[in-house]
Amino acid sequence: MSRLQEKDEPRIGVYVCHCGTNIAGVVDVGDVAKYAAALPNVVVARDYLYMCSAPAQAMITDDIKEHELNRVVVASCSPRMHEPTFRKVCEEAGLNSYLFEMANIREHCSWVHSREPKKATEKAKDLVKMAVARTRFLEKLPRKEVGVTIRALVIGAGVSGLRAALDLAQRGFEVYLVEKAPAIGGRTAQLGEVFPTGEMALDILRPMIKALASSQRIRLFTNSEVEAIDGFIGNFKVKVVVNPRYVTNECDACRKCEKACPITAPNDFDFGLSQRKAIYLPFEEAMPRTHVIDSRTCTRCGECVEVCERKAVDLEEKPMKFEVDVGTIIVATGYDPYEPPEGEYGYKTYNNVITLPQLERLTDENGPTKGQLPLSGSAPKSVVFITCVGSRQEAGIYKPIKADQQLNRYCSRVCCTAALKNCVEIRKKYPNARVFYLYRDIRTYGKGYEDYYRKASESRVLFLRYRPEEPPSVSAGPGGLIVTVRDVLTQNETLAIPADLVVLNVGLVPRADASDIQAKLKIARSVDGFFQEAHAKLRPVDTPLDGIFLAGTAQGPKDITESSAMGSAAAAKAAIPLARGKVEVEPIVAVVDEDICKGCGRCEEVCEYNAIKVEEVQPLVKVPMLVARVTEAQCKGCGSCVVTCPIGAIAMKHFTSKQIQAMITAALGG
């Protein structure tokens, strides 16, 4: 360890990264390094092609030892990307990792000022100067460890949630699996044949369901919701509500209750294409294979109670609440298919305009029509697919049907392949039917996915390309529907296509209750509404909140293969603190000066992580007082409390007023 680490006089090393040409293509990094060498307390300053590379890391380590550096500044990319890398370098060289500072001269200079290299270079110098000024006032921060509850929670029992729970259980950890629906399987259970293997979706689920049923380590709660979450990594307290099914485990799914029930309602599992009773089995192979009563439609007539020989119906059942302690949490809450507003491409205006998920149910042998497409009692003669419905909705090009409609600018990624798979299936089942595929672009990414485009072409599916500025229109015709499209592939010729069936290739959107889930978990969502990962490349399943991980389509559009893989990845990350039995917590936290604090509670109100509580204390004068106290393991160092405190009783470690003032003074030329 550097013997000068404890001394007051800073000895600073500055390292400027070329980042290939990302920075050096605009910023004169050599000039920046030369400038840094002349700054006060800078002992050594260097530039290098890639500071994150192994040779550069070794160079920093050697310099710390040779020049007895007690502070390090790296001027390179965003701290979000490589700050952990350089902190680790400092630690390995014997230097406290919080005596390190990073200046972002890529995103803040070269990328945003690419046409002004001289100004970008001067700005880079200023940023390095500010970083050096702050570094002089950095202090050692000790890392702390907290114990971990050796148990995990998985929210959502679709493919990714099931995979995550099973992987954790196989590693020997106890898992609570909470599913909002009355049966597990998620959206996958609603599918028929899936790509790229051609398997039936239920064939994919069956082995997972069998493994779940035989596992002694997984406790499954269906028809349940997470009500509240408190705590921090290793020590989460989760309140779960088990909503009443009104049917006990004595149910043997004999279906007598369904036959006796006089109430019908649209079947959500079939996307409204069929009807079900108020008491129903979610689907034929549902787990648990137990009926459930829809309290929204049930009239409490008691007919089901009368016919149930096993006395399994309990109309007086109440919600059950309980609290569990877990160390890590995996969010696998899934997605919703885009629901077009009434009138978009004739949806809900004409009965024979359906969405792709509805088509999946119709073509499934276990679906409401046993795999057939009956339209007025006859097979379809003409089927038209319209793609990018609910995806790639660019402002100024896409014309919303509703004034307050949310625009989904992203590509949903799986829709093209799913639609082409259905095109091929329809051509096989109805060889005399003409199938038209109206598209903006075709994006069949993934191993083997391009084969579906080839098979569709070989099956004589007719491809017509439209411009987003001139989307197809659907109107009533003499014998059915007329789809009008201006086809780019035929020199903008306008075609009117008679259609017995129009299929809207809808995208994937965040869950309708995503805002509610976000509020409970305190995790961020990206601009597209899906939950935000900590880093797209380096931490794709982590969230900014330690101990909470993402799996599957909760994070964004994915297919079954990707969702399953992400479930395994999330389980692997969630298992690390469980296996260690303890975790290090970030020491950059708020601290309260209790001699000044008046206990007003404003800091508690603004804390998004519930890390501050106003408590009553009994000082020596035995007069009760209120003061704010910080649970350090729960604090994320956001600083909201610091700026809210009216009397300055709260400070932030590693971002002290002295450090910030030094940066401001340096920026202003001081």
Side-chain angles (χ1 to χ4, degrees):
M1 180 179 293
S2 172
R3 63 183 179 82
L4 294 181
Q5 184 174 338
E6 304 293 337
K7 291 192 173 182
D8 293 333
E9 185 65 24
R11 294 179 61 82
I12 304 171
V14 178
Y15 302 88
V16 186
C17 183
H18 292 236
C19 197
T21 58
N22 276 298
I23 296 174
V26 177
V27 174
D28 187 341
V29 293
D31 192 27
V32 174
K34 183 178 179 181
Y35 172 82
L39 293 173
N41 300 111
V42 174
V43 177
V44 60
R46 306 182 190 277
D47 62 279
Y48 198 81
L49 186 61
Y50 289 104
M51 277 297 168
C52 59
S53 65
Q57 292 181 42
M59 176 180 67
I60 296 173
T61 300
D62 292 341
D63 280 353
I64 290 174
K65 297 175 180 178
E66 180 182 348
H67 297 282
E68 297 185 326
L69 304 178
N70 54 22
R71 306 285 191 281
V72 172
V73 174
V74 173
S76 59
C77 55
S78 166
R80 187 179 180 188
M81 178 169 285
H82 277 304
E83 186 174 56
T85 302
F86 296 117
R87 280 186 176 178
K88 186 177 180 181
V89 170
C90 291
E91 286 182 349
E92 291 175 349
L95 190 64
N96 185 276
S97 61
Y98 293 94
L99 297 175
F100 165 77
E101 175 68 358
M102 199 164 180
N104 185 350
I105 63 171
R106 188 179 71 179
E107 285 85 344
H108 290 177
C109 284
S110 62
W111 282 5
V112 292
H113 306 298
S114 59
R115 297 182 181 180
E116 300 177 293
K118 290 184 178 180
K119 290 183 178 181
T121 300
E122 292 305 311
K123 183 177 179 180
K125 291 179 181 179
D126 286 340
L127 290 173
V128 170
K129 182 181 179 182
M130 293 166 66
V132 169
R134 178 173 184 264
T135 304
R136 297 191 194 105
F137 297 98
L138 293 179
E139 300 173 347
K140 289 175 56 180
L141 295 179
R143 289 188 178 272
K144 297 184 178 181
E145 290 184 342
V146 296
V148 172
T149 301
I150 314 301
R151 190 181 300 117
L153 169 72
V154 178
I155 308 174
V159 164
S160 60
L162 288 171
R163 186 71 270 155
L166 291 170
D167 282 9
L168 285 167
Q170 288 169 3
R171 287 178 167 89
F173 302 115
E174 185 179 352
V175 182
Y176 288 102
L177 179 57
V178 177
E179 169 57 49
K180 187 175 183 179
I184 65 175
R187 296 293 180 188
T188 301
Q190 295 174 286
L191 302 176
E193 183 181 303
V194 297
F195 59 83
T197 60
E199 297 173 274
M200 299 303 291
L202 288 177
D203 291 337
I204 295 174
L205 288 174
R206 283 191 193 102
M208 302 175 76
I209 293 173
K210 183 178 179 180
L212 176 66
S214 62
S215 176
Q216 299 298 312
R217 296 190 176 97
I218 301 175
R219 294 189 63 186
L220 173 65
F221 298 92
T222 55
N223 221 40
S224 305
E225 298 179 70
V226 171
E227 185 178 53
I229 296 179
D230 196 10
F232 48 91
I233 181 172
N235 297 270
F236 291 107
K237 292 187 178 296
V238 183
K239 294 180 180 179
V240 178
V241 178
V242 181
N243 296 310
R245 298 179 75 97
Y246 304 105
V247 180
T248 70
N249 292 334
E250 293 298 317
C251 175
D252 62 356
C254 69
R255 298 292 181 93
K256 291 180 181 178
C257 56
E258 288 188 45
K259 295 176 182 178
C261 180
I263 305 300
T264 59
N267 189 346
D268 293 336
F269 188 79
D270 287 336
F271 298 103
L273 294 171
S274 65
Q275 296 286 308
R276 59 160 173 78
K277 296 298 184 71
I279 183 169
Y280 64 101
L281 190 67
F283 57 97
E284 187 58 36
E285 297 191 42
M287 179 188 174
R289 191 171 170 75
T290 305
H291 278 67
V292 62
I293 291 178
D294 181 1
S295 60
R296 298 168 297 177
T297 57
C298 178
T299 62
R300 300 296 193 274
C301 67
E303 293 291 333
C304 53
V305 178
E306 294 294 327
V307 300
C308 183
E309 297 176 357
R310 301 179 68 89
K311 306 300 180 185
V313 180
D314 180 6
L315 296 179
E316 302 303 319
E317 187 179 7
K318 304 296 182 185
M320 181 180 70
K321 297 185 179 182
F322 63 94
E323 185 174 279
V324 297
D325 295 326
V326 297
T328 53
I329 298 172
I330 294 176
V331 182
T333 50
Y335 73 95
D336 284 335
Y338 174 76
E339 179 73 9
E342 184 174 353
E344 184 170 13
Y345 297 110
Y347 185 66
K348 291 187 177 179
T349 302
Y350 308 111
N351 291 333
N352 43 352
V353 176
I354 63 173
T355 64
L356 185 61
Q358 289 176 316
L359 179 67
E360 288 279 356
R361 294 304 305 145
L362 291 174
T363 57
D364 185 359
E365 292 181 357
N366 296 315
T369 58
K370 307 303 179 184
Q372 301 302 311
L373 293 179
L375 296 167
S376 303
S378 60
K381 297 179 181 178
S382 176
V383 180
V384 177
F385 285 78
I386 301 176
T387 68
C388 292
V389 179
S391 299
R392 305 177 69 196
Q393 297 172 324
E394 293 291 341
I397 298 177
Y398 174 75
K399 298 176 177 58
I401 302 297
K402 300 188 298 183
D404 59 344
Q405 185 176 337
Q406 171 71 35
L407 299 187
N408 304 316
R409 299 183 63 184
Y410 55 87
C411 170
S412 290
R413 305 176 74 230
V414 299
C415 324
C416 287
T417 309
L420 290 170
K421 180 211 68 163
N422 278 281
C423 287
V424 174
E425 286 184 11
I426 291 173
R427 285 289 296 155
K428 285 181 180 178
K429 189 170 293 186
Y430 304 101
N432 294 325
R434 303 183 71 191
V435 178
F436 299 84
Y437 192 86
L438 280 52
Y439 69 97
R440 286 176 58 180
D441 299 290
I442 296 178
R443 297 180 174 182
T444 52
Y445 82 99
K447 184 178 180 180
Y449 294 6
E450 187 71 10
D451 289 344
Y452 286 96
Y453 173 66
R454 178 180 54 79
K455 290 176 182 177
S457 299
E458 292 172 352
S459 299
R460 296 184 181 179
V461 173
L462 300 176
F463 290 90
L464 305 172
R465 188 177 189 183
Y466 69 90
R467 300 181 189 277
E469 300 86 356
E470 299 178 285
S473 62
V474 180
S475 58
L481 298 177
I482 299 294
V483 180
T484 304
V485 59
R486 186 183 292 272
D487 178 27
V488 175
L489 303 179
T490 55
Q491 298 181 338
N492 295 320
E493 182 179 355
T494 299
L495 304 175
I497 307 169
D500 299 318
L501 180 66
V502 174
V503 181
L504 305 183
N505 196 8
V506 297
L508 283 59
V509 298
R511 283 271 300 259
D513 58 355
S515 296
D516 181 54
I517 298 170
Q518 178 186 20
K520 293 173 182 176
L521 295 173
K522 303 294 190 300
I523 57 177
R525 288 196 291 162
S526 55
V527 293
D528 56 21
F530 291 97
F531 291 114
Q532 178 72 57
E533 71 282 355
H535 190 284
K537 293 182 179 179
L538 304 180
R539 299 175 64 195
V541 299
D542 298 71
T543 68
L545 196 61
D546 294 339
I548 299 182
F549 306 92
L550 301 175
T553 51
Q555 185 264 346
K558 293 173 184 65
D559 64 16
I560 295 173
T561 304
E562 292 173 318
S563 294
S564 179
M566 195 174 180
S568 288
K573 291 299 294 285
I576 294 173
L578 301 182
R580 288 176 176 171
K582 58 185 179 180
V583 291
E584 287 187 345
V585 294
E586 181 69 61
I588 302 176
V589 296
V591 289
V592 178
D593 186 340
E594 294 188 6
D595 293 333
I596 302 176
C597 179
K598 302 298 182 184
C600 67
R602 295 185 186 178
C603 53
E604 183 178 356
E605 293 174 1
V606 301
C607 182
E608 292 288 336
Y609 304 99
N610 298 320
I612 302 181
K613 303 293 182 185
V614 174
E615 301 176 357
E616 185 177 286
V617 296
Q618 193 84 28
L620 294 176
V621 293
K622 299 188 183 300
V623 178
M625 296 174 57
L626 294 176
V627 296
R629 286 184 170 167
V630 179
T631 303
E632 292 191 356
Q634 208 161 338
C635 177
K636 294 302 169 187
C638 68
S640 297
C641 56
V642 178
V643 298
T644 302
C645 182
I647 57 174
I650 307 181
M652 184 63 60
K653 291 181 180 180
H654 202 61
F655 290 95
T656 65
S657 297
K658 185 182 291 186
Q659 293 166 3
I660 302 301
Q661 287 170 359
M663 296 181 73
I664 294 172
T665 301
L668 296 176

